[in-house]
């Protein structure tokens, strides 16, 4: 029972440790190469399915009548734009210094990415409003789809996609993991009510499904770091700065929420990022090393999530 309680209380760090350990095991034990090659395609299928089910379970509990814009949405979006503009200013200031370019481009992927699709899951666990958080997740996806085609093309000369092409690609990627389960959740609430009520009656289902997804993400992150050809000091610098940016965005988001309402939602909205999309953007427009920033960011944001959940359990003990 103590082990089960520990796993329930520390789902996110356990998921990170498990994913990293399993990948390292396959990486350093040659005898597992055959099994790893067979499991690779399976993992590629499991990950989007678990993300989809995570969000579907969450959206079965959303009150769609309460999904409307809130003033904190404007504050968080304004803060994100200011962070992106500041980040771009630094990139242009460092000029032709390739190492500095890579470091700050890695940070840029972490600031410009939309709010994580799973942000409503953690928000719900923290006692926040999943209705307004879900609304912002959709708004954030659209905002990033507009910003990314504007910001990244000037930083590269190797990708020749129009603004509209990039915008549609990003919308397609976001729609499959966000809008589709959102629409399906609405349909289930109206036409498959018994099943929807059954799913909603399991409050931790979406959180544990997200734990499965995080295990895979942690393994992929370790893979990207190990297969990077960048020097250790550069990887360390990118990882350290991505942690600073993660903490800064968390603090700014919380501060905005204290002034404009819904502190929990605002904090999660600004700092919890869709790192899968950020990594894709880094590979498409930038040097692959820049993707390490977003890869490390997913670890930092879930460490902060774990600390938040620990504090919430202490201040809101279950009967």
């Amino acid at each position: 029972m103590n082990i089960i309680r520990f796993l329930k209380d520390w789902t996110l760090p356990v998921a990170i440790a498990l994913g990293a350990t399993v990948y390292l095991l396959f990486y350093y034990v040659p005898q597992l190469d055959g099994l790893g090659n067979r499991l690779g395609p399976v993992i590629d299928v499991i990950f989007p399915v678990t993300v989809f089910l995570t969000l579907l379970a969450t959206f079965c509990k959303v009150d769609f009548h309460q999904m409307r814009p809130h003033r904190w949405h404007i504050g968080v979006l304004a803060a994100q734009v200011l962070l992106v503009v500041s980040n771009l200013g630094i990139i242009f200031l460092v000029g032709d210094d390739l190492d500095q370019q890579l470091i700050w481009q890695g940070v840029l992927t972490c600031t410009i990415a939309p709010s994580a699709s799973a942000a409503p899951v953690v928000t719900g666990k923290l006692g926040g409003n999943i209705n307004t958080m879900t609304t912002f997740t959709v708004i954030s996806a659209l905002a990033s789809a507009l910003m990314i085609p504007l910001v990244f093309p000037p930083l590269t000369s190797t990708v020749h996609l129009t603004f509209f092409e990039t915008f549609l690609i990003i919308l397609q990627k976001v729609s499959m993991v966000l809008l589709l389960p959102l629409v399906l959740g609405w349909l289930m609430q109206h036409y498959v009510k018994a099943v929807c009520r059954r799913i909603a009656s399991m409050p931790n289902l979406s959180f544990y499904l997200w734990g499965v997804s995080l295990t895979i993400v942690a393994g992929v992150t370790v893979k990207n770091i190990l297969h990077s050809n960048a020097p250790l000091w550069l990887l360390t610098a990118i990882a350290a700065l991505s942690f600073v940016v993660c903490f800064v965005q968390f603090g700014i988001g919380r501060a905005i929420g204290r002034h404009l309402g819904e502190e929990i939602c605002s904090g999660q909205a600004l700092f919890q990022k869709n790192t899968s999309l950020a990594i894709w953007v880094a590979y498409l427009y930038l040097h692959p090393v820049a993707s390490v920033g977003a890869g490390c960011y997913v670890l930092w944001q879930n460490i902060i999530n774990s600390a938040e959940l620990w504090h919430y359990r202490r201040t809101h003990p279950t009967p």
Side-chain angles (χ1 to χ4, degrees):
M1 293 299 294
N2 288 334
I3 294 176
I4 294 175
R5 182 67 181 177
F6 175 82
L7 293 175
K8 290 174 64 177
D9 288 345
W10 300 99
T11 301
L12 300 185
V14 168
I16 292 172
L18 179 61
T21 301
V22 169
Y23 181 79
L24 289 173
L25 183 65
F26 278 87
Y27 183 79
Y28 286 109
V29 179
Q31 291 80 2
L32 295 176
D33 287 348
L35 179 59
N37 292 333
R38 290 192 295 272
L39 287 177
V42 177
I43 297 298
D44 291 339
V45 173
I46 291 176
F47 178 68
V49 170
T50 54
V51 173
F52 181 91
L53 293 176
T54 298
L55 296 178
L56 179 60
T58 300
F59 295 151
C60 281
K61 295 180 286 186
V62 168
D63 183 351
F64 288 91
H65 294 96
Q66 298 299 317
M67 282 185 60
R68 56 175 65 96
H70 194 283
R71 58 180 184 167
W72 69 262
H73 294 168
I74 299 173
V76 169
L77 284 176
Q80 183 183 14
V81 170
L82 288 175
L83 287 168
V84 169
V85 171
S86 301
N87 204 155
L88 280 174
I90 295 174
I91 291 174
F92 288 118
L93 280 176
V94 300
D96 296 328
D97 188 326
L98 180 59
D99 291 337
Q100 289 293 323
Q101 285 272 345
L102 289 174
I103 291 172
W104 289 102
Q105 286 176 1
V107 172
L108 180 61
T109 63
C110 302
T111 56
I112 202 171
S115 182
S117 300
V121 177
V122 180
T123 298
K125 289 286 289 183
L126 293 170
N129 189 325
I130 64 172
N131 303 315
T132 57
M133 186 68 242
T134 300
T135 304
F136 181 80
T137 303
V138 176
I139 295 172
S140 176
L142 293 172
S144 290
L146 289 171
M147 283 193 291
I148 289 171
L150 289 173
V151 168
F152 281 93
L155 302 178
T156 180
S157 59
T158 58
V159 179
H160 303 286
L161 291 175
T162 66
F163 172 89
F164 192 63
E165 288 172 334
T166 305
F167 177 78
L168 289 180
I169 291 172
I170 294 172
L171 282 188
Q172 184 269 332
K173 287 181 173 293
V174 172
S175 297
M176 293 304 295
V177 296
L178 177 61
L179 297 183
L180 186 57
L182 184 65
V183 171
L184 187 56
W186 182 87
L187 290 172
M188 290 181 66
Q189 285 193 22
H190 287 78
Y191 302 107
V192 198
K193 296 181 180 180
V195 176
C196 193
R197 283 195 297 268
R198 177 60 179 167
I199 294 174
S201 69
M202 297 181 281
N204 293 319
L205 176 61
S206 58
F207 183 69
Y208 295 136
L209 285 170
W210 174 239
V212 175
S213 302
L214 183 58
T215 301
I216 299 173
V217 170
V220 172
T221 299
V222 173
K223 175 185 176 182
N224 291 338
I225 294 173
L226 289 176
H227 287 273
S228 171
N229 295 322
L232 180 60
W233 75 266
L234 182 57
L235 295 175
T236 303
I238 295 174
L241 200 52
S242 69
F243 171 75
V244 173
V245 171
C246 183
F247 194 78
V248 167
Q249 292 190 123
F250 174 74
I252 292 174
R254 284 275 182 159
I256 291 171
R258 280 193 293 271
H259 287 87
L260 299 180
E262 298 195 25
E263 180 180 354
I264 294 173
C265 290
S266 185
Q268 297 303 125
L270 187 58
F271 104 97
Q272 193 171 341
K273 297 291 188 177
N274 186 333
T275 51
S276 297
L277 183 62
I279 291 172
W280 172 80
V281 169
Y283 271 102
L284 177 64
Y285 284 108
L286 308 172
H287 194 283
V289 173
S291 69
V292 173
C296 293
Y297 193 96
V298 71
L299 304 181
W300 306 141
Q301 72 179 11
N302 281 289
I303 289 173
I304 293 178
N305 281 336
S306 299
E308 287 185 286
L309 291 168
W310 172 79
H311 182 265
Y312 185 79
R313 287 195 303 270
R314 287 191 63 188
T315 54
H316 298 78
T318 54

